[in-house]
Amino acid sequence: SRWYQRRVRGEDGPSQMALEDIAAFRAIPNLVYFYPSDAVACSRAVELAANYKYMTFIRTSRPATSVIYGNEEVFEIGKAKIVKQSSDDKVLIIGAGITLDSALKAHDTLKEKGINVRVMDPFTVKPLDKEAVLEHARQCGGRVITVEDHYAEGGIGEAVAAVLSAADFVTKQKIMAVREIPRSGPSAVLLDMFGISAEKVVDAALTIVN
């Protein structure tokens, strides 16, 4: 198993920004790729990784983010979590780590505008919870946004797109990801510059709904 601390710390510069790891590790047979989004999920990921037979990879974030889950929350390999949900959600937003934080902030802003969205935390990118992605995408009218601190190629967006390609309903997906080599700067500034901040998620949701 390998532990990897994802920096999301722009001050360290692009040489410290590994934005291709999801693509690389998704290609390895039997590997489980954990992407916990808070301290509780991270603790469970370590426990699950320690008891898994084959190779595992844990991607964590350095910045302080909100604790989302209670200490008794149960996590499973290949099972996503729905952290925000209503009966009339218009879009399914999938984020992990620092971009789940972006998704949750976008959820609150959109709710103030009268638009409900559903927020999913995949917990494991590989295996991805295909059943949950399809079911919740269907319930949100087939509209899906993925937002990730990773290059577009081979990341969460493309993993979700592969799942949606098998859907028996019409889908529309927006992949929000880093699309050029990043640079040094404060994390919040870089998140916005490369299109994965809460504000950018709000803009994408308004566009996909309309």
Side-chain angles (χ1 to χ4, degrees):
S1 298
R2 181 181 176 188
W3 177 281
Y4 167 56
Q5 186 179 58
R6 177 77 186 89
R7 38 86 256 150
V8 197
R9 184 166 165 176
E11 294 88 344
D12 290 348
S15 66
Q16 304 302 306
M17 300 179 189
L19 297 174
E20 67 291 315
D21 54 296
I22 295 176
F25 284 93
R26 278 182 60 216
I28 299 175
N30 299 318
L31 177 135
V32 171
Y33 188 109
F34 294 94
Y35 198 166
S37 293
D38 78 348
V40 176
C42 186
S43 176
R44 300 299 182 271
V46 172
E47 180 182 1
L48 289 165
N51 289 283
Y52 183 68
K53 180 179 180 181
Y54 300 107
M55 183 177 178
T56 63
F57 188 91
I58 304 173
R59 190 191 221 224
T60 62
S61 301
R62 185 181 298 178
T65 54
S66 300
V67 175
I68 302 167
Y69 303 105
N71 288 331
E72 304 307 315
E73 187 76 26
V74 176
F75 290 84
E76 298 178 58
I77 291 173
K79 294 296 182 182
K81 296 288 186 180
I82 299 297
V83 293
K84 293 290 183 180
Q85 181 176 11
S86 76
S87 60
D88 64 340
D89 293 326
K90 305 301 182 186
V91 186
L92 172 63
I93 303 176
I94 302 173
I98 193 65
T99 59
L100 181 64
D101 188 64
S102 294
L104 290 170
K105 290 176 180 176
H107 167 275
D108 294 343
T109 300
L110 289 162
K111 188 173 183 179
E112 292 174 357
K113 296 178 181 291
I115 299 173
N116 289 324
V117 298
R118 192 164 303 184
V119 179
M120 175 183 287
D121 172 8
F123 182 58
T124 55
V125 178
K126 178 180 180 178
L128 188 63
D129 192 341
K130 299 177 182 179
E131 292 77 12
V133 170
L134 287 172
E135 180 58 29
H136 291 283
R138 184 195 301 273
Q139 292 178 16
C140 295
R143 293 176 291 270
V144 179
I145 294 172
T146 54
V147 54
E148 59 190 302
D149 181 30
H150 188 274
Y151 291 126
E153 293 80 5
I156 295 172
E158 289 194 350
V160 169
V163 173
L164 295 178
S165 69
D168 58 1
F169 53 94
V170 176
T171 65
K172 184 176 183 180
Q173 181 185 1
K174 170 70 174 177
I175 297 176
M176 306 180 69
V178 180
R179 298 182 183 273
E180 58 183 284
I181 296 174
R183 63 196 71 179
S184 300
S187 297
V189 173
L190 294 180
L191 287 171
D192 195 62
M193 177 181 291
F194 294 105
I196 55 175
S197 64
E199 292 77 10
K200 299 298 185 183
V201 175
V202 169
D203 291 343
L206 292 172
T207 299
I208 202 171
V209 167
N210 295 326

